[in-house]
Amino acid sequence: MSRGDHDDASSDPLYERLKTFEGRANTTGGRGKDPVNEPMIRHWCEAMGDAHPAYAGPDAVAPPTMLQAWTMGGLSGHAGLSSAYDEMSALLDAAGCTSIVATDCEQEYLRPLRPGDVITFDSLIESVSPRKTTKLGTGYFVTTRMDVRVDGELAGTHRFRVLKYAPARAGRKPESKPKPEPAPLRPRPVINRDNAGFWEGVAEHRLFIQRCTGCQTLRFPWLPGCNACGGQDWDTVEASGDGTVHSYVVMHHPPFPAFDPPYAVGLIELAEGVRMISNVVGAPYDKVRIGMPVRLEFQRYDEDLELPVFRALPGSEG
Ligand code: ZN
């Protein structure tokens, strides 16, 4: 999410009050409800589809991205913790900033967590931004930091940022007529060093699948390592473009800008065996069926965005 425009902070008494929360403890001396344990690691790995060998066996470590999981209080929460965060939220609510959206999260890992480790955690309000205006509305970015420790030693840090804001369209009835606006653009893909090769292929109207050079397992979407053997070396194979609809959903709600519900989102099984999520074109949303043969093509949505989509083959509609 873009941080939006930086409003004038010098004449914002609310911001001055919010600043006093910076550095205030939100949670002190929190304790994990369970020690780091193999069943939770196993469930996590199954849910994530991560079969990396480091997370199983007698020398198992916990996946680093589980960091926050060990601190979670579950439905019953953690008893007796003070909350500067609640106090600050109430202040923002009272000022009309009643909406909240999570914008990003960063984690740092300093030592691996292993089954049996008992974790403790402390969190604080690290920073509050000056008032910003975004497309969602006007409000403040609030960053909290949680430090997770084992035996007093810092194991990792979790930063979580939200925008607490006054909605730009507060009070507007959903049935009121929208003003004519330029057509909203589709969201941009997040291109990073792990998936850049995929998008370079798309620019040439080619669909590349990663292949582990260690065990030859194909993988999609693009990832830095192989889920089958943990190998980090890979090459690519080019998809033939043939596929079938393995499954699909029809999106009715919620409406997203640039999308016109109802529409079908397909899980396409490529002829090579991997699956990808894409749009099915060339068939009405209610004619998309499991098993429908489809063919890759590239659809241009705007000046900067071209995406692989799958066209229903003639006569294949259900
Ligand atoms: Zn492999």
Side-chain angles (χ1 to χ4, degrees):
M1 162 163 310
S2 83
R3 294 297 188 78
D5 301 322
H6 181 153
D7 295 354
D8 181 13
S10 59
S11 58
D12 182 357
L14 177 58
Y15 175 59
E16 296 307 320
R17 287 184 70 186
L18 295 172
K19 285 290 276 184
T20 66
F21 283 84
E22 286 189 343
R24 275 185 64 183
N26 191 45
T27 306
T28 307
R31 193 177 170 87
K33 284 205 160 176
D34 297 287
V36 176
N37 64 82
E38 289 169 56
M40 278 174 68
I41 294 173
R42 183 170 55 79
H43 288 297
W44 174 281
C45 288
E46 285 192 7
M48 296 294 166
D50 191 337
H52 195 286
Y55 307 143
D59 298 321
V61 297
T65 48
M66 280 188 79
L67 185 67
Q68 192 195 12
W70 308 114
T71 70
M72 287 182 166
L75 291 177
S76 53
H78 289 288
L81 300 176
S82 71
S83 185
Y85 195 83
D86 288 348
E87 204 182 310
M88 190 179 60
S89 290
L91 195 60
L92 282 158
D93 285 340
C97 294
T98 51
S99 294
I100 189 163
V101 62
T103 61
D104 58 292
C105 145
E106 293 165 26
Q107 294 189 332
E108 287 172 75
Y109 313 117
L110 288 98
R111 58 151 277 186
L113 295 175
R114 298 178 187 280
D117 283 343
V118 173
I119 66 103
T120 56
F121 58 94
D122 302 287
S123 74
L124 54 80
I125 297 168
E126 191 171 60
S127 63
V128 183
S129 77
R131 186 172 59 214
K132 308 266 184 164
T133 299
T134 74
K135 276 193 169 177
L136 289 172
T138 296
Y140 303 84
F141 288 91
V142 179
T143 305
T144 51
R145 190 187 84 220
M146 181 182 283
D147 296 325
V148 178
R149 293 187 170 80
V150 176
D151 296 330
E153 185 191 348
L154 191 61
T157 299
H158 174 83
R159 277 189 178 79
F160 192 67
R161 191 168 295 121
V162 300
L163 172 65
K164 186 99 170 98
Y165 65 100
R169 296 178 179 194
R172 182 177 134 180
K173 289 185 179 133
E175 58 267 36
S176 68
K177 230 179 197 173
K179 277 181 268 171
E181 286 169 358
L185 298 179
R186 279 207 173 213
R188 312 288 99 173
V190 176
I191 301 177
N192 55 42
R193 62 184 174 182
D194 293 326
N195 67 11
F198 171 77
W199 292 104
E200 286 161 14
V202 169
E204 299 171 2
H205 289 190
R206 302 169 76 186
L207 186 71
F208 288 110
I209 302 165
Q210 272 183 311
R211 176 173 57 190
C212 172
T213 51
C215 73
Q216 307 299 308
T217 301
L218 298 179
R219 64 177 186 263
F220 195 93
W222 284 40
L223 293 168
C226 174
N227 277 346
C229 75
Q232 298 199 345
D233 296 322
W234 51 271
D235 60 7
T236 57
V237 293
E238 184 172 359
S240 68
D242 292 323
T244 53
V245 174
H246 179 78
S247 187
Y248 66 96
V249 293
V250 174
M251 289 297 293
H252 293 270
H253 192 83
F256 293 106
F259 293 84
D260 187 19
Y263 54 92
V265 179
L267 180 61
I268 308 300
E269 181 155 301
L270 301 180
E272 290 75 15
V274 295
R275 294 174 191 155
M276 70 179 282
I277 292 169
S278 182
N279 286 117
V280 179
V281 301
Y285 72 90
D286 56 352
K287 297 291 182 189
V288 173
R289 291 291 178 266
I290 288 171
M292 177 183 251
V294 290
R295 172 85 201 152
L296 171 69
E297 64 179 47
F298 291 85
Q299 185 154 315
R300 178 161 288 286
Y301 289 93
D302 56 63
E303 200 176 313
D304 301 315
L305 187 66
E306 203 167 15
L307 294 175
V309 296
F310 289 84
R311 180 166 294 277
L313 295 183
S316 65
E317 292 173 18

